[in-house]
Amino acid sequence: MTSITEHYDIIIIGTGAGGGTLAHRLAPTGKKILVLERGDFLPREKANWNPEEVYQKHRYHTDEQWYNKEGKAFRPQTGYWVGGNTKLYGAALIRFRERDFERVIHKGGISPEWPLKYQDFEPYYTQAEKLYDVHGQEGEDPTEPPRSEPYPYPPVSHEPDMQSLADGIRELGYYPFHLPLGLKLNESDRLNSPCIRCDTFDGYPCLVHAKADADVNAIRPAREKYANVTLLTNTKVLRLHTSESGREVTKVETEIGGEQHWFTSDIVVVACGSVNSAALLLHSANDKHPNGLANSSDQVGRNFMKQLETAIVSIHLEVNHANFQKTIAVNDFYWGEPDFPYPMGMVQNTGNVLADMIPGEAPPLMAPFIKLIPHFERHLLAERSVGWWLQTEDLPDPNNRIRVVGDKIHVDYTLNNTEASDRLIHRWTSVLKSIPHSAKHVLPFSIYPRTHIPEQAVAHQCGSCRFGTDPKTSVLDLNCRTHDVENLYVVDSSFFPSNSGANPTLTIMANALRVGDMLAAALGAKHTLLVARSQRVR
């Protein structure tokens, strides 16, 4: 065992949307910050943009096994890299709607009220959009919440074939809008634009670092500018140890290169993602915390959510020439429709459908047959396709939970609110079939492949350590500090008390900035107190 005695003001575990953003916000404080990441920097290689490597072979996903509620092993579609899952995300950075923070009645149950409201997050949404280069257009989406400032960058334009689709949807009486995206794109000066509007954007690493992810936009700038930030990669945190009273974390136990290392700090922040953050707390059980660290409420790991997600491919008679297709979103059904007054969810484009993606993304029953189709014929199919991503809010259920058995992570998850999801699928399919002839012709419903996203897809994971004012029913307080342990925080999607129909990432980032401001003030106050004490001693 190797003991490292160097002490830090703050340790941040994880470098994704939560941890990376928090490190960026705290770096200017001058405090001694240690950032721990179990993975490495994602390699820049030609395979970054290879659909067979990314979608069929899952080159950038972990090889570890998790277990479902039946005890069956599965390989999660999650990546351990500097930047976390933002290295592979589609960079759709969307604000929750105002009503998402209220108590909402769904067809399948109740989405509970948040203890903080939209106005508490709005200034931080604005800051997060600036930090992550968000391109968007205000005033197009009728469900859009109020904004204190415009988007920092203009919307990503629709290419002609996608504009034709958007026009056709609008002719039907709906309100397609430009999907807010985080990327380094300069359409007025394409020669000097880092983003080249490639066809391998959604779900791929960016070879040219033009995707606004937590690595490129947060971790790297923080390390380059501030010497007080130390990043250790390939460092897996095994457990957190507490004082005899159990009221504070005293040591962080890690494994580096097969050896154990210990780190200490005044404040410890867990930002490993909803699944792994809960697993770390549960795995850190001790005499004072027999059911897991910070788990006197028995809520650690519970109320896990990940949205009901469905991919639809519309197949057209004509070739879709759009090189960058992920630009359209529709929220007309977000809160339901006249004969179904319950939230249904959000519709977005996916990135381009490519020939070598099809076998990896096909529904299980179709996959063996699709693999037999020659590549050229798959290409003919792909170039006439448009991908659509439908997401419906799933509801918190205490039985949907993360458990740790030995060293194994169990994800006990049962779908709920499925009627709303099914309604959205059928409604959007009918919209695609009804697009006027000014847009592309769409073939009949029978050849609309669709696949419900399987359990291994955990990109929109949230819940598991909900925040609230009552220590009996929540794990974290309103500043995301654990009720039970005074110097322990959780700053990722774990804090969500409910989900929404929107992508969670921008809310994670905004909350990390909010908590970062609070921690910066607390660290400053502590420093002032220590100086005052020192002066009194003299």
Side-chain angles (χ1 to χ4, degrees):
M1 182 183 300
T2 303
S3 177
I4 296 181
T5 58
E6 192 169 7
H7 184 80
Y8 293 85
D9 293 308
I10 185 166
I11 291 176
I12 301 171
I13 305 168
T15 58
T21 305
L22 179 66
H24 186 276
R25 174 50 55 98
L26 292 177
T29 64
K31 299 300 179 182
K32 197 173 181 181
I33 301 169
L34 175 64
V35 184
L36 302 175
E37 169 56 53
R38 68 184 292 178
D40 206 337
F41 286 95
L42 192 146
R44 296 182 70 188
E45 54 190 3
K46 290 179 69 175
N48 289 170
W49 286 348
N50 185 314
E52 181 178 359
E53 290 291 330
V54 172
Y55 275 87
Q56 292 190 48
K57 297 181 181 180
H58 298 281
R59 182 183 185 93
Y60 301 107
H61 291 148
T62 179
D63 289 328
E64 71 182 10
Q65 299 288 302
W66 294 354
Y67 297 82
N68 65 14
K69 61 183 179 182
E70 286 84 26
K72 182 180 178 181
F74 66 92
R75 181 184 175 187
Q77 293 177 5
T78 197
Y80 299 137
W81 305 104
V82 176
N85 282 322
T86 66
K87 295 302 295 182
L88 301 172
Y89 77 156
L93 295 177
I94 303 159
R95 299 182 179 207
F96 282 8
R97 316 290 97 172
E98 281 185 283
R99 194 174 150 200
D100 282 322
F101 295 91
E102 306 292 341
R103 181 179 183 270
V104 178
I105 298 175
H106 290 253
K107 181 63 174 176
I110 303 295
S111 180
E113 181 179 7
W114 286 44
L116 297 179
K117 303 299 186 228
Y118 174 78
Q119 57 266 28
D120 297 305
F121 289 91
E122 198 285 332
Y124 296 104
Y125 275 136
T126 299
Q127 295 173 31
E129 288 170 345
K130 292 177 181 177
L131 176 58
Y132 286 96
D133 301 314
V134 177
H135 295 244
Q137 178 64 56
E138 184 178 3
E140 295 182 315
D141 174 14
T143 73
E144 184 178 44
R147 307 175 56 88
S148 58
E149 296 183 27
Y151 283 98
Y153 295 98
V156 179
S157 65
H158 302 315
E159 295 183 35
D161 286 343
M162 300 311 294
Q163 183 66 61
S164 179
L165 272 176
D167 292 342
I169 294 166
R170 188 173 292 107
E171 285 184 42
L172 294 174
Y174 302 111
Y175 294 89
F177 61 97
H178 289 83
L179 180 64
L181 293 171
L183 70 172
K184 300 177 182 301
L185 173 68
N186 184 348
E187 295 200 67
S188 64
D189 185 6
R190 292 289 297 277
L191 186 63
N192 293 309
S193 172
C195 176
I196 60 172
R197 292 187 65 117
C198 68
D199 61 358
T200 49
F201 171 75
D202 192 6
Y204 296 83
C206 183
L207 180 61
V208 296
H209 288 168
K211 185 185 295 186
D213 60 47
D215 167 28
V216 173
N217 280 49
I219 291 294
R220 294 191 192 213
R223 293 179 69 221
E224 289 167 4
K225 189 172 182 180
Y226 299 100
N228 55 303
V229 177
T230 300
L231 170 69
L232 292 182
T233 60
N234 298 302
T235 302
K236 183 177 181 180
V237 176
L238 302 177
R239 59 184 53 84
L240 307 177
H241 296 264
T242 66
S243 60
E244 291 185 7
S245 68
R247 293 295 299 170
E248 61 179 1
V249 174
T250 54
K251 290 183 292 187
V252 176
E253 180 184 350
T254 72
E255 181 182 285
I256 307 174
E259 295 183 350
Q260 283 181 303
H261 292 250
W262 302 78
F263 300 94
T264 64
S265 72
D266 296 332
I267 293 173
V268 174
V269 179
V270 176
C272 311
S274 179
V275 173
N276 277 299
S277 287
L280 177 60
L281 297 185
L282 293 170
H283 201 251
S284 299
N286 58 32
D287 290 343
K288 294 295 182 180
H289 301 272
N291 297 319
L293 203 58
N295 196 24
S296 64
S297 61
D298 191 34
Q299 293 299 303
V300 172
R302 293 190 183 273
N303 300 295
F304 173 73
M305 298 163 284
K306 65 185 190 77
Q307 291 183 333
L308 286 73
E309 298 165 337
T310 304
I312 289 179
V313 177
S314 58
I315 303 170
H316 302 246
L317 290 173
E318 301 144 7
V319 172
N320 180 0
H321 295 96
N323 202 53
F324 187 97
Q325 297 180 19
K326 189 185 173 87
T327 57
I328 300 174
V330 176
N331 268 341
D332 289 81
F333 313 108
Y334 197 88
W335 298 118
E337 51 188 345
D339 59 342
F340 190 83
Y342 304 101
M344 292 162 61
M346 185 173 188
V347 177
Q348 307 172 19
N349 278 134
T350 67
N352 296 44
V353 178
L354 303 178
D356 286 332
M357 291 170 55
I358 294 175
E361 293 298 289
L365 293 178
M366 294 177 61
F369 302 101
I370 287 178
K371 289 180 179 179
L372 298 176
I373 300 175
H375 182 274
F376 176 71
E377 294 182 16
R378 293 204 307 269
H379 173 73
L380 293 177
L381 182 68
E383 69 178 1
R384 288 163 173 79
S385 299
V386 177
W388 299 95
W389 179 268
L390 282 57
Q391 53 194 37
T392 298
E393 180 172 355
D394 56 346
L395 304 174
D397 179 345
N399 295 314
N400 281 349
R401 63 185 299 194
I402 309 305
R403 296 185 297 115
V404 172
V405 181
D407 290 328
K408 296 178 179 178
I409 294 176
H410 288 249
V411 181
D412 298 344
Y413 181 80
T414 302
L415 293 172
N416 59 42
N417 205 27
T418 55
E419 187 174 343
S421 175
D422 291 341
R423 179 97 179 194
L424 182 61
I425 293 168
H426 291 298
R427 171 59 64 210
W428 189 244
T429 299
S430 71
V431 170
L432 293 175
K433 290 163 59 180
S434 303
I435 291 176
H437 289 290
S438 59
K440 289 185 177 298
H441 301 289
V442 182
L443 297 181
F445 168 78
S446 59
I447 63 131
Y448 272 71
R450 71 172 184 261
T451 176
H452 292 280
I453 304 304
E455 59 194 4
Q456 58 261 37
V458 291
H460 290 187
Q461 60 183 277
C462 61
S464 81
C465 295
R466 58 167 54 178
F467 80 154
T469 57
D470 186 352
K472 294 180 180 179
T473 58
S474 59
V475 178
L476 310 172
D477 68 12
L478 299 192
N479 289 325
C480 291
R481 191 190 77 174
T482 62
H483 291 298
D484 299 348
V485 184
E486 294 176 357
N487 66 337
L488 177 62
Y489 294 75
V490 180
V491 183
D492 54 27
S493 59
S494 303
F495 85 99
F496 287 25
S498 69
N499 210 335
S500 75
N503 303 54
T505 314
L506 189 68
T507 301
I508 300 169
M509 295 165 171
N511 183 64
L513 295 174
R514 181 184 71 89
V515 175
D517 278 355
M518 182 279 304
L519 284 173
L523 287 166
K526 182 174 181 179
H527 174 73
T528 300
L529 181 61
L530 290 173
V531 170
R533 286 177 178 171
S534 174
Q535 290 174 343
R536 285 200 301 269
V537 169
R538 292 174 187 170

